[in-house]
């Protein structure tokens, strides 16, 4: 055998593959050529394999063996992991089953709670451990102390961590399974703990059952030799079969004849010249060795291009430099003959042929143009999406216009301006009368700009959209959008405002699109898009996009306008319904605060209502919701409280009447089909008596008050809470407090202490901290401190706060007498009243007071019942009170000329500033109030006129 033939049989020469000659010193069958001399061939050492390691057959064999080995390793590892996982799962299930079974066994709870649980449960636990495959059964208490254990020395000792987590889950009735180190087990253990619960659901203890990890893994280790032997056998079998297949492949490769090789070359050549990509083959010296037809067409190569260097082919400098550089390239775009070509260059495999490089060329001229249009469309869609997200986030008209200009600058325009009709930012509907259009927003790539600033009037228009002139040189308003691609040629635009137009052009502004902002057919304003500097001029496609963008922005602006209008109406309504000021009274020093939310006005309210007898009513309420409905409902409830308080009702009675009113409102709205109810309204009503220092209050679903004592300590008294207003069916309860003088009563709505990011308990704790330790604060200072400490920057609910410092009427300004049921007692009472008024320095009102008190006492003697008492209160006003044990109230009427009586109450009403009747648990009180600031009504002339009206028969 010749050396050449020997080499072919041992390892085919790579240089002969694909040459088309097939001459390798052997025939197609792989036998030695008869013409070759075998005597001169050197003996060759036989290979242990039936093929060469570098042959195709050898490479296939090595690849197959590698794949088989990797697959077998993966199978073994997966089996081991699965077996270990399955063993652990079985151990967890077995331990948990033992623990649950022991925990639910009869008598376990009684023995565990018995006097000696260890003696009662230890034998049973050991019996269970021996009867099952677990390593231990431990009963332990919720504090971690073992009751039973397989190691007696551990009984009475605490279970190691993490028993706290087990106890927390056990209190919820949940078992716990985990892997941990347990004392006495000698290593890690799969531990399962089940709760032992008493019949009432409380936790009596826990049962832990565990299996050692070493036992879990032992089963896996026992199977490992079998798995490894199986893997080795499979590898040997696969290797043998791969060797047989590889030997057959080697024989088939050596059997490829010249005809087949020539046919393969012809096929390759046909494909090379038929593809739509240019192919160039270059040698190491950058000489062209091969160029297909497409490469010749794209590069316009001469006929004799093969064999010449690429820098001698007349190519563009960039293309020639890339091909001659010798570097690798991936889809690099270069200009060649007016075409944009994507070039890829790779090195050939030198070990399989002549070293060199292969370059492929692809014409991307049309593709780049199409990609450019697609990219523009994609950017426009992205900008529309971004505009939909960023425009209209605040429901503020001006801010919405600013968001429009901010979105388009740098992406669609270099400058953007928005002008709105004057009524629009105020939330009003534009009218047909000519209206100024004012610039409200401007954004640009630089500042300052030659355009008019914010606040300037740019034109005057009506709803028809016609204008009389523009600022910035913009054209007159039109029905549709206006495109000015070149402002230097827009003569009509320049004539509108020549000075402003010259300034804009001098600053580099060269193109403009003006689009009216219309919503529901009404003109709201105009948006202008400007381009300057080197930006491309606007075209028709840009005009269509600008109209789409303006249409979307106009809807957002109109929504903000309508919201502004409704919010302004609601704010106006609520402000008109809330107290404008605090009434004059002596019982309390009061300060109030109201903070609305950005979501709109709500239904929180407060009120301070002076009551007769040196008393004051404090009211705080809340109607769930926001907007006009909540504000209107709040006004109705506040008016109702004012009316009910004029009847001098007790707190629980007033809330009962208010609850009935809310229920009636809900029924009326349901009948009308409105669908909005007042259910959820709350109220707290308190009455403070400055004479006795007593405060009675009741609440309907409302938060209780805080009381700041004179020493600075804070209390939250327990006030029985009733159902919210409108639910009905349950009475309200009144609580009586006796806060010391100079205490502060703090009444508030839930928006102060509760927020979406703060729990109500945390809010009450913060309120406590804000109030405590500051006895010197006035109510005004207290309001400020509380709001600073608790109110977030953007509250989710409105807040009403009322702080009242208690006062007590001095005892020397209170006079009281018991009156016997005898008409002869009137004169002594009048004398005592005169002396007391003289003592107080009120001689000017003595006569009027005597007449009033005489009439009230006489009525109590004639028509009432004992006990009868008369009382004078000297405060801001002079209050006369006569109480008796009868609940019958006299009524004011005009007596006829022939009647002997019936003029007493009419005389009282004429003399007193206010008068009335209030009921008590033991009868009624007739009261009057006389102003002390306007002087006495009396005088000799007045006395005579009053005596003429006095009916002696009524005394």
């Amino acid at each position: 055998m010749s050396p050449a033939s020997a080499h072919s049989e041992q390892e085919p020469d790579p240089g002969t593959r694909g040459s088309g000659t097939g001459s390798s010193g052997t025939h197609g069958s792989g036998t030695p050529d008869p013409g070759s001399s075998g005597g001169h061939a050197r003996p060759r050492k036989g290979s242990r394999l039936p093929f060469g390691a570098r042959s195709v057959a050898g490479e296939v064999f090595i690849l197959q063996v590698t794949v088989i080995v990797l697959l077998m390793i993966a199978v073994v590892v997966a089996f081991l992991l699965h077996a270990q996982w399955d063993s652990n799962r079985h151990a967890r299930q077995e331990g948990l089953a033992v623990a649950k079974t022991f925990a639910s066994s009869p008598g376990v709870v009684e023995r565990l709670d018995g006097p000696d649980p260890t003696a009662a449960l230890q034998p049973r636990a050991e019996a269970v451990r021996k009867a099952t495959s677990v390593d231990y059964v431990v009963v332990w208490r919720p504090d971690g102390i073992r009751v039973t254990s397989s190691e007696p020395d551990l009984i009475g000792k605490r279970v190691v961590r993490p028993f706290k987590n087990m106890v927390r889950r056990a209190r919820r009735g949940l078992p716990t399974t985990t892997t941990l180190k347990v004392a006495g087990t000698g290593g890690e253990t799969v531990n399962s703990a089940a709760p032992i619960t008493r019949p009432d659901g409380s936790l009596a203890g826990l049962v832990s059952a565990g299996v050692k990890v070493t036992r879990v893994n032992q089963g896996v280790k026992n199977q490992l030799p079998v798995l490894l032997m199986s893997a080795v056998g499979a590898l040997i079998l696969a290797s043998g079969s791969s060797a047989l297949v590889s030997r057959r492949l080697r024989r088939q490769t050596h059997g490829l004849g010249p005809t087949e090789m020539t046919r393969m070359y012809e096929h390759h050549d046909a494909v090379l010249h038929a593809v739509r990509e240019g192919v160039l083959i270059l040698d190491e010296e950058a000489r062209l060795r091969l160029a297909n037809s497409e490469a010749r067409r794209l590069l316009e190569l001469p006929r004799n291009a093969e064999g010449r260097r690429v820098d001698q082919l007349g190519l563009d400098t960039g293309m020639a430099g890339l091909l001659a550089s010798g570097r690798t390239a991936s889809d690099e775009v270069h200009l060649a003959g007016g075409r944009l070509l994507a070039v890829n260059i790779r090195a050939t495999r030198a070990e399989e042929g002549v070293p060199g490089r292969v370059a492929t060329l692809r014409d991307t001229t049309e593709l780049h143009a199409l990609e450019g249009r697609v990219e523009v469309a994609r950017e426009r869609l992205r900008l529309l999406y971004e505009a939909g997200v960023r425009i209209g986030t605040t429901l503020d008209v001006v801010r919405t216009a600013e968001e429009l200009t901010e979105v388009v600058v740098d992406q669609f325009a270099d400058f953007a301006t928005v002008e709105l009709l004057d009524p629009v930012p105020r939330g009003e509907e534009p009218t047909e009368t000519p209206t100024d259009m004012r610039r409200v927003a401007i954004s640009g790539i630089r500042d300052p700009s030659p355009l008019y600033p914010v606040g300037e009037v740019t034109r005057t228009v009506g709803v028809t959209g016609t204008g009389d002139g523009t600022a910035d040189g913009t054209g007159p308003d039109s029905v549709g959008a206006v495109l000015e691609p070149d402002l230097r040629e827009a003569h009509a635009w320049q004539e509108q405002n020549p000075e402003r137009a010259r300034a804009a052009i001098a600053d580099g502004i060269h193109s403009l699109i003006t689009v009216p902002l219309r919503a529901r057919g009404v003109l709201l304003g105009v948006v202008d898009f400007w381009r300057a500097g080197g930006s491309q001029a606007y075209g028709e496609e840009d005009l269509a996009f600008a109209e789409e963008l303006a249409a979307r922005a106009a809807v957002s602006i109109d929504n903000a306008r309508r919201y502004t209008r409704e919010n302004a109406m609601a704010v106006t309504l609520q402000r008109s319904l809330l107290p404008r000021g605090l009434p004059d009274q002596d019982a309390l020093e009061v300060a109030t605060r109201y903070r609305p939310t950005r979501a709109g006005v709500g239904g929180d309210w407060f009120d301070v209502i002076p009551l007769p007898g040196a008393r004051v009513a404090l009211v705080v309420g809340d109607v769930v919701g926001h907007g006009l409905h909540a504000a209107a409902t709040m006004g109705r409830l506040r008016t109702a409280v004012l009316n009910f308080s004029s009847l001098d009702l007790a707190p629980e009675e007033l809330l009962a009447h208010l609850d009935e009113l809310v229920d009636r409102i809900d029924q009326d709205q349901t009948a009308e089909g409105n669908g909005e109810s007042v259910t959820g309204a709350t109220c707290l009503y308190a009455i403070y008596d400055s004479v006795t220092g007593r405060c009675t209050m009741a609440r309907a679903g409302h938060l209780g008050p805080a009381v700041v004592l004179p020493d600075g300590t804070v209390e939250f008294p327990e006030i029985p809470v009733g159902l919210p207003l409108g639910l009905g069916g349950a009475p309200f309860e009144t609580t009586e407090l006796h806060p010391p003088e100079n205490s502060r009563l703090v009444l508030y709505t839930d928006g102060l202490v509760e927020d979406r990011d703060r729990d109500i308990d945390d809010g009450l704790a913060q309120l406590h901290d804000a109030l405590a330790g500051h006895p010197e604060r006035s109510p005004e200072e207290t309001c400020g401190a509380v709001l600073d400490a608790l109110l977030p920057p953007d509250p989710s609910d409105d807040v009403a706060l009322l702080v009242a410092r208690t006062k007590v009427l001095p005892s020397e300004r209170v006079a009281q007498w018991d009156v016997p049921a005898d008409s002869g007692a009137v004169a002594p009472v009048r004398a005592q009243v005169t002396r007391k008024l003289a003592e107080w320095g009120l001689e000017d009102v003595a006569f009027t007071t005597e007449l009033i008190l005489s009439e009230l006492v006489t009525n109590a003697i004639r028509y009432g019942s004992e006990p009868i008492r008369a009382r004078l209160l000297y405060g801001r006003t002079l209050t006369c009170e006569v109480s008796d044990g009868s609940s019958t109230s006299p009524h004011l009427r005009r007596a006829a000329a022939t009647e002997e009586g019936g003029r007493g109450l009419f005389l009282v009403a004429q003399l007193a500033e206010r008068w009335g009747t209030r009921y008590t648990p033991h009868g009624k009180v007739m009261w009057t109030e006389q102003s002390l600031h306007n002087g006495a009504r009396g005088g000799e002339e007045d006395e005579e006129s009053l005596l003429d009206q006095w009916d002696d028969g009524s005394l």
Side-chain angles (χ1 to χ4, degrees), residues 484-505:
E484 295 290 354
D486 189 354
L487 293 178
R488 293 171 296 183
E489 302 297 330
H491 301 292
W493 169 78
Q494 296 180 22
E495 292 174 357
Q496 298 297 324
N497 193 327
E499 181 180 357
R500 182 61 58 178
R502 287 193 298 271
I505 294 175

Side-chain angles (χ1 to χ4, degrees), residues 56-265:
V56 174
E59 292 177 354
V60 172
F61 173 76
I62 293 173
L63 178 61
Q64 290 178 340
V65 171
T66 302
V67 172
I68 291 173
V69 170
L70 293 177
L71 288 176
M72 293 308 300
I73 292 174
V75 169
V76 171
V77 172
F79 184 84
L80 291 176
L81 293 177
H82 177 74
Q84 186 174 9
W85 173 84
D86 188 70
S87 299
N88 274 278
R89 182 177 60 86
H90 179 72
R92 287 171 177 263
Q93 293 177 349
E94 184 176 10
L96 186 59
V98 171
K100 286 184 175 181
T101 303
F102 191 96
S104 59
S105 298
V108 172
V109 176
E110 291 78 8
R111 289 178 174 83
L112 184 60
D113 292 335
D116 192 356
T118 300
L121 296 178
Q122 176 69 10
R124 177 183 287 193
E126 286 301 299
V128 171
R129 180 182 66 81
K130 295 176 181 179
T132 59
S133 58
V134 298
D135 291 306
Y136 63 85
V137 176
V138 177
V139 180
W140 48 288
R141 298 184 185 277
D143 58 357
I145 302 301
R146 294 183 178 87
V147 175
T148 70
S149 176
S150 57
E151 296 292 332
D153 295 337
L154 297 178
I155 296 177
K157 296 183 179 180
R158 189 178 298 276
V159 178
V160 296
R161 295 179 302 172
F163 78 92
K164 292 184 179 180
N165 181 51
M166 298 181 186
V167 172
R168 281 196 300 269
R169 290 177 58 83
R171 294 188 188 279
R172 299 198 303 269
L174 301 176
T176 304
T177 301
T178 184
T179 302
L180 45 76
K181 289 185 178 181
V182 178
T185 61
E188 291 188 343
T189 301
V190 178
N191 180 77
S192 299
I196 302 174
T197 57
R198 299 185 180 93
D200 61 353
S202 62
L203 182 65
L206 295 94
V207 179
S208 294
V211 180
K212 295 181 181 179
V213 174
T214 55
R215 287 184 54 193
V216 173
N217 297 333
Q218 187 61 39
V220 179
K221 295 180 180 178
N222 294 336
Q223 300 178 26
L224 185 59
V226 178
L227 294 175
L228 293 179
M229 292 300 296
S230 300
V232 171
L235 181 60
I236 294 173
L237 181 61
S239 300
S241 62
S242 298
L244 295 177
V245 173
S246 299
R247 180 181 292 276
R248 182 176 180 84
L249 179 62
R250 180 181 60 82
R251 289 197 301 268
Q252 290 178 351
T253 303
H254 286 179
L256 187 61
T259 303
E260 289 78 6
M261 296 296 292
T262 301
R263 186 179 298 112
M264 182 184 297
Y265 172 77

Side-chain angles (χ1 to χ4, degrees), residues 419-440 456-471 477 522-526 561:
E419 295 88 37
L420 297 177
L421 295 173
D422 276 349
V424 174
R426 299 192 300 268
E428 302 173 3
E429 188 87 14
T431 61
E432 296 183 358
T433 59
T435 307
D436 290 339
M437 186 176 290
R438 194 178 304 273
R439 178 152 296 169
V440 297
E456 292 289 337
V457 176
T458 61
R459 67 199 82 183
T460 300
V461 299
V463 295
T464 58
T466 59
D468 60 356
T470 66
D477 302 320
V522 178
L523 178 67
L524 304 176
V526 172
R561 179 194 64 80

Side-chain angles (χ1 to χ4, degrees), residues 611 617-619 641 645 649 651 654-655 683-687 696-698:
L611 299 177
L618 302 177
V619 190
V641 171
S645 65
L649 300 176
L654 185 142
L655 291 181
C683 182
L684 185 148
Y685 185 81
I687 297 177
T696 57
M697 62 180 63

